[in-house]
Amino acid sequence: MASHEFRTDRVEVAFTVNGKPVGLAVDPRATLLDTLRDELGLTGTKKGCDHGQCGACTVHVNGRRVNSCLSFAATHEGAAIDTIEGLGTPDNLHPMQRAFVELDGYQCGYCTPGQIMSAVALLAEPCGESDAEVAECMSGNVCRCGAYQNIVAAIQSVRKENAT
Amino acid sequence: MNSFTFTRARTIADALRSARGDVKFLAGGTTLVDLMKLDVERPAGIIDLNALPLAEVRRTPDGGLHIGALARNSDVAHHPDVVRDYPLLSQALLSGASVQLRNMASTGGNLLQRTRCVYFRDAAMACNKRSPGSGCAAIGGFNRNLAILGTSAHCIATNPSDQNVALTALEATVHVTGSNGERSVPIGDFYLLPGQTPERETILEPGDLVTSVTLPPPAPGAGSTYVKLRDRASFEFALASAAVVVTIKGGVMQRARVAMGGIATKPWRNLDVEAALEGQPATRERFADAAQILLSDAKPQSRNGFKVELAKRCLVHALSVATAVT
Ligand SMILES: Cc1cc2nc3c(=O)[nH]c(=O)nc-3n(C[C@H](O)[C@H](O)[C@H](O)COP(=O)(O)OP(=O)(O)OC[C@H]3O[C@@H](n4cnc5c(N)ncnc54)[C@H](O)[C@@H]3O)c2cc1C
Ligand code: SF4
Ligand code: FES
Ligand code: FES
């Protein structure tokens, strides 16, 4: 197949977001983060630093957590993208969302969607089980409120639930 | 961010054909997109490599390892062959960035990541690397994180990578394809010193595509480690790091490979350091002698003099761990 060069100011891209097919003509400069928020109205994913340094923008692409701020939307042709909106609803929380609520894994809540998306991914990754190892695997998610201890506690509680 | 044309490469031939003029290849984007947002990189075109079949990690016929340019840092770090036979590469990768970034970052992109010099990243400042001839704001400025080895009067920026330090100690080969055909370059010859042209960082010519990195077979019975020292325990670049591979027989070091990061303008290997270790007993005194040689022509800048002692201790500690000397 020949390469696809887009000389117009828009690029066609199709992917799924939380299981729903989406087709867009995006500005090639648009990040996945801005596309989710501004084009698709999914504002659960947050913009903290816009440079890969804070993790507020964490989403899953094909099941792996990534920083959506450093990724052009146009590069995700055919990908399965999952955001915090797809995880659970206020009436039907994902176990990780419930654990963050029950164990006070946040204060202001700004970093929380990214923390939760990271935490859900972490449980399927080759990450050690100690608190220190969990903290290391969460180091890409910064919390200005300093809720770190309770974030680790929430992750550990879901890990224990899953084990039983 | 400037506007650019966007091309999805379907094949390697496609990517090479499109690579004309002022274009950049895009892999994980964790360096390139970051720098485009800062107007430090302003390519007229982007060629997306992510659909190319270059993500494979496999054994080579000689017992070494082939790592495709698009193999992600997290996949390489957790690959069973890397964990078993090249553990220092796994350690180096896992000490870098965050899980999210490692899931995106590719082997080839990591080889070519740019310096974290704050003036390079700020388009308003004088920087010979970003804007040749404009000067170097880091000399006499904020240079705590910058180099003490391999510097010039034109640039003192460090190569910030962890991966590249481990690959240097492992004597990796970088495989490149471009308009002049394919070539294979030992990693020791891949990076250039800044000299008078700090904008040139590697031997790559415009349009050259890195296709893979290969490692020679693991040294039998060798001890190895990667030690990284930094301002905080995680998610931070190295102030000094050491990758060492040492084979000992009867308490004597038969073969030593040493590469340093965080202190030099390229992943740093000094053959005199290795020669000072080989044939010597594995003791802290001999390690300290080697560290002395490593730093003998260090040129500390206004705010990074501490790196001379830090780098010595980093190397002595790494050698102690690799040889189990306490
Ligand atoms: C917040 C933050 C923290 C970080 N911390 C660390 C750290 O502690 N340690 C560390 O080592 N690194 C760290 N990094 C850097 C990270 O490892 C690199 O950004 C990453 O490895 C680059 O890979 P990539 O695939 O994303 O490259 P890209 O951004 O896609 O590309 C980088 C460069 O390489 C070129 N390129 C990519 N692939 C090829 C190819 N196959 N052939 C030719 N050219 C190519 C591109 O044109 C571009 O110029 C950090 C990055 C961030 C944002
Ligand atoms: S050290 Fe190099 S990268 Fe930093 S300002 Fe000077 S020339 Fe630019
Ligand atoms: S907004 Fe993406 S890491 Fe901060
Ligand atoms: S809860 Fe406020 S930043 Fe984390």
Side-chain angles (χ1 to χ4, degrees), chain A residues 33-119:
Chain A
L33 172 62
D34 288 344
T35 303
L36 289 168
R37 292 180 54 86
D38 301 342
E39 301 285 327
L40 302 174
L42 296 171
T43 54
T45 307
K46 301 301 181 206
K47 183 183 289 192
C49 65
D50 219 16
H51 285 279
Q53 299 169 1
C54 76
C57 65
T58 303
V59 300
H60 298 179
V61 174
N62 299 326
R64 291 156 68 112
R65 53 172 157 152
V66 301
N67 299 112
S68 61
C69 70
L70 288 187
S71 191
F72 290 131
T75 63
H76 292 294
E77 179 67 21
I81 292 154
D82 291 292
T83 70
I84 188 76
E85 287 89 348
L87 212 56
T89 61
D91 305 327
N92 185 19
L93 293 176
H94 182 280
M96 192 63 76
Q97 291 172 314
R98 190 175 333 108
F100 268 67
V101 173
E102 283 172 3
L103 292 165
D104 275 337
Y106 55 87
Q107 287 179 42
C108 77
Y110 196 81
C111 71
T112 312
Q115 300 279 2
I116 291 178
M117 294 310 284
S118 258

Side-chain angles (χ1 to χ4, degrees), chain B residues 115 117-120 126-130 135-139 146 154-157 198:
Chain B
T115 184
C117 171
V118 293
Y119 305 105
F120 173 74
C127 170
N128 289 323
K129 189 186 277 299
R130 175 171 34 73
C136 171
I139 296 176
L146 301 186
H154 303 272
C155 180
I156 58 169

